Amino acid sequence: MERQSTYTATATIDEQGILTGWSEGAQRLLGHEASEVVGRPASALLAAEAGSARRTLAGRDRWNGTVPLRHRDGRRLEQGLLAHRRTSATGAVDWLVVTAVADRPQPPRGEPLEEWTFIQSPFPLAIFDTEQRLMRANRRLERALSLPEAAMRGLRLTHISPGHTSEEADRAMRQVLETGEPQEVQTGLVPDLSLPTVLTPLKDGTGRVRAVCLAAQRRAPESARRSTEGETGTHTGTASDLARAAQELAEATVPRLADFMVVDLLDAPRSPAAPADVGPLVLRRAALRAVPDDAVSASGAEVGQAIAYEPGSPPADCLASGNPVLYDTSDPLIAAWAAVDPAAAWLHACGTRTLMLVPLLAEGNALGVALFGRHLRPEPFGPEDLRIAEELTAHAATGLHSARRYSRARTTTMSLQRSLLPHTLPDQAALEIATRYLPAATKAGVGGDWFDVIPLSGARVALVVGDVVGHGIRASATMGRLRTAVRTLADVDLPADELLTHLDDLVLRLAADEGSTDPAAETAGGIGTTCLYAVYDPVSRHCTLARAGHPPPAVVTPDGIVRFIDVPPGPPLGLGGLPFEAFETELPEGSLLALYTDGLLEARDHDIDEALDKLFGALGRPAPSLDAVCDRVLTELLSHRPDDDIALLVARTRALHADRVAAWELDSDPSVVARARKHTSDQLSTWGLDEAAFTTELMVSELVTNAIRYGRPPIQLRLIHQNSTLICEVYDSSGTTPHMRRARIFDEGGRGLLLVAQLAKRWGTRHDRVGKTVWAEQSLTVG
């Protein structure tokens, strides 16, 4: 088959700069497979400093230019890219980055007269080849889209202007190529065009369709102004963040209403009637748009930069009064302002003839000010222009106010959630662990998914994954309460099923407390929350698990077999009165455990069976590290930002072999204490830990004495040597919990546990189904 002459490389990048999508064309261009880059920072693919890219994209909705990229083999590629900032219906924001890569030179231009006709036509024109890729674009279309032909060449309509109407036009173009008949479509490609856009087949002398011409009509100037009014009313302010909402206003007004426009926002809303500031009024530039493009640099300030307006300047007066105002730049007030204030330097630099200032007001508060200027068209702003600008900014202010509240709430929620999730994994040797957490890309806010790794006594480790019902700050706060409760209950070594029972009671109490103050907030207490709790013991290689309405964990054995662990499905937390059941299984050394929340399996582009197949496939293939396993799982199951939070915890089991564990059965007789000390001394000598013998013998002596005096047989002494830690454990069949007390001067006993507490790094008691184990852990000096 003949090799395609041009292919398209696409990638998607989220707000944090993480790659979330990677096409086959992108792999062909840079050599990286999707599993190698998805979930990683996009900046890693740049052959230049990443900060300049972020500054370039700040405040923009679209960008094109040449970027130095780094191929997988180390080569540097200078590649032209077109990037679109997109906001989904759910409020998720990401960037679509596209580029067309040509395998052979473009065809030569046509005859001079035909070329002049095409280039200088007053109507936007474009020619697409039989693969529906743009070959030519005239100057009118370049100006309308603010994109040069070079940035669009080789791209399909859906990549030049992503959206529903472009997808329909792309399908219509395919019909034109197949039928040879023209079609009239609605592209939405250029905002100030009338609805009909004609797709005409271009045929050669034999009647074969060789290309398609897209031709759009222009509106009359006055109707264009009316369309601006209506269109902005539907789009401006619908975005989920401040930058997007401000930029929508700029795009809706330039060039249709003004030649130059900026939006400057206050850091916090203020009343127009508030006392005037003594010093300069500081705002931050949120959006900037001008025609031609080089007029942007004349503004003297980039998006995101602070702008200081002196008291008495037109913008400061506009905000103070809360009223819009028209100026001619010959006005002495404007001339005086431009002469002394650097913030007005763009007036002279652009040759601005007329100026319009409109405050952004919402719910009685001033959010900032919008400045409109004209330097290309001769007619000054008039009352009708001011009316349109007021209506546009009113819509924009509503969107900005909503975006600010949403942004503040989401930032608060994410900050709370990050503070509650573990920042680093604890030091333990039983499991090798890697984790991932992806917040949801929804307007509902961040959810309450969480994970935790908790070291337990006896070298064991607890793994926890949970999912609090709901989204927002209340769900995150409930998650924090439950995570703290799990840690507290795990610290007293409750069995897995008992721990979930206590957690169930806590959720019921939280729901009752919140329901008494807010009847509508029943689920905020955590009712419907799911949780999976697992404890792995590297000595026995047994794993005990219990779950409350949570998806079962997956395990991959060393021979490559992938399966679910059949943990009995307990009810979600908060229902009360229903039992939980623990399940115990033996895991060979090197087994892979995968714990996750249900958001991983509920992606909207595949069903649950397909998701399970992908999960098993991703877990079953060999990988160089657990981080690579996590990345592969997310890459296989997610094609875009998730609709629900995802917590993923992957652990590989290790084992403590017999040469690291020593145990002895002891008689319930005081005379065995000396024998226990001798066992301890000999074992530590075998392990080369003679320096720890004195301290360890003291602790063993006290623990065994207590077991004989206050406990019941059988009695067992166990020593565990794990890396730089030595653990002493004494078991007896009594369920009585020992308590440390302070002995009086003449008391003959009562100092044993106090001595153990002073010598050990930590100590405690764990209860088994029958009996208890008192343990003490000490750190060893590493030479």
Side-chain angles (χ1 to χ4, degrees), residues 96-138:
L96 170 65
V97 182
V98 299
T99 183
V101 186
D103 285 344
R104 64 189 185 207
Q106 293 294 309
R109 302 298 192 192
E111 295 297 326
L113 184 59
E114 298 170 355
E115 184 75 5
W116 297 339
T117 302
F118 177 83
I119 291 176
Q120 299 176 32
S121 170
F123 301 101
L125 298 174
I127 298 175
F128 293 82
D129 64 16
T130 55
E131 295 173 351
Q132 296 172 256
R133 301 175 183 276
L134 185 137
M135 301 170 61
R136 301 294 313 278
N138 71 348

Side-chain angles (χ1 to χ4, degrees), residues 300-345:
E302 298 178 354
V303 170
Q305 185 174 338
I307 308 294
Y309 289 119
E310 295 294 333
S313 64
D317 289 345
C318 177
L319 274 173
S321 66
N323 296 316
V325 62
L326 288 173
Y327 291 103
D328 189 281
T329 52
S330 61
D331 188 310
L333 178 63
I334 298 298
W337 174 47
V340 299
D341 194 340

Side-chain angles (χ1 to χ4, degrees), residues 278-555:
V278 176
L281 181 62
V282 179
L283 297 89
R284 194 164 299 278
R285 185 135 298 170
L288 168 63
R289 188 173 176 88
V291 288
D293 289 339
D294 56 9
V296 171
S297 59
S299 69
E302 298 178 354
V303 170
Q305 185 174 338
I307 308 294
Y309 289 119
E310 295 294 333
S313 64
D317 289 345
C318 177
L319 274 173
S321 66
N323 296 316
V325 62
L326 288 173
Y327 291 103
D328 189 281
T329 52
S330 61
D331 188 310
L333 178 63
I334 298 298
W337 174 47
V340 299
D341 194 340
W346 61 275
L347 291 169
H348 285 211
C350 292
T352 302
R353 300 184 179 91
T354 180
L355 180 65
M356 185 163 52
L357 287 80
V358 183
L360 291 158
L361 305 175
E363 297 184 7
N365 293 314
L367 308 180
V369 63
L371 289 77
F372 304 85
R374 284 181 177 173
H375 54 269
L376 296 180
R377 66 193 82 184
E379 65 272 15
F381 288 124
E384 178 64 13
D385 297 314
L386 187 61
R387 183 192 67 80
I388 295 172
E390 283 187 88
E391 294 188 6
L392 295 177
T393 52
H395 285 287
T398 301
L400 286 164
H401 195 54
S402 299
R404 176 168 268 156
R405 284 187 299 190
Y406 168 76
S407 177
R408 187 182 297 113
R410 182 175 176 84
T411 300
T412 302
T413 304
M414 292 194 70
S415 298
L416 173 62
Q417 189 177 52
R418 288 193 184 102
S419 70
L420 295 174
L421 288 172
H423 295 166
T424 57
L425 298 179
D427 185 21
Q428 50 80 36
L431 296 165
E432 179 190 358
I433 295 175
T435 62
R436 291 291 186 272
Y437 181 83
L438 291 180
T442 64
K443 287 187 176 181
V446 179
D449 291 23
W450 92 93
F451 62 86
D452 212 344
V453 179
I454 309 171
L456 303 177
S457 63
R460 298 167 307 133
V461 177
L463 303 177
V464 193
V465 174
D467 184 357
V468 174
V469 66
H471 292 81
I473 194 166
R474 301 183 78 169
S476 293
T478 301
M479 176 269 284
R481 287 173 161 181
L482 296 183
R483 178 172 178 255
T484 301
V486 170
R487 281 187 157 265
T488 302
L489 296 170
D491 194 50
V492 297
D493 266 316
L494 286 180
D497 52 344
E498 291 185 26
L499 183 143
L500 291 183
T501 299
H502 284 277
L503 207 60
D504 186 47
D505 293 339
L506 173 63
V507 171
L508 282 172
R509 291 197 299 272
L510 290 176
D513 290 344
E514 296 198 6
S516 63
T517 57
D518 184 3
E522 181 183 10
T523 57
I527 290 180
T529 292
T530 67
C531 183
L532 172 66
Y533 184 78
V535 176
Y536 174 70
D537 186 344
V539 178
S540 65
R541 296 189 291 280
H542 282 195
C543 185
T544 305
L545 311 96
R547 61 185 177 119
H550 203 82
V555 63

Side-chain angles (χ1 to χ4, degrees), residues 44-55:
L45 300 177
L46 297 177
E49 192 266 320
S52 61
R54 287 192 294 269
R55 290 190 295 271

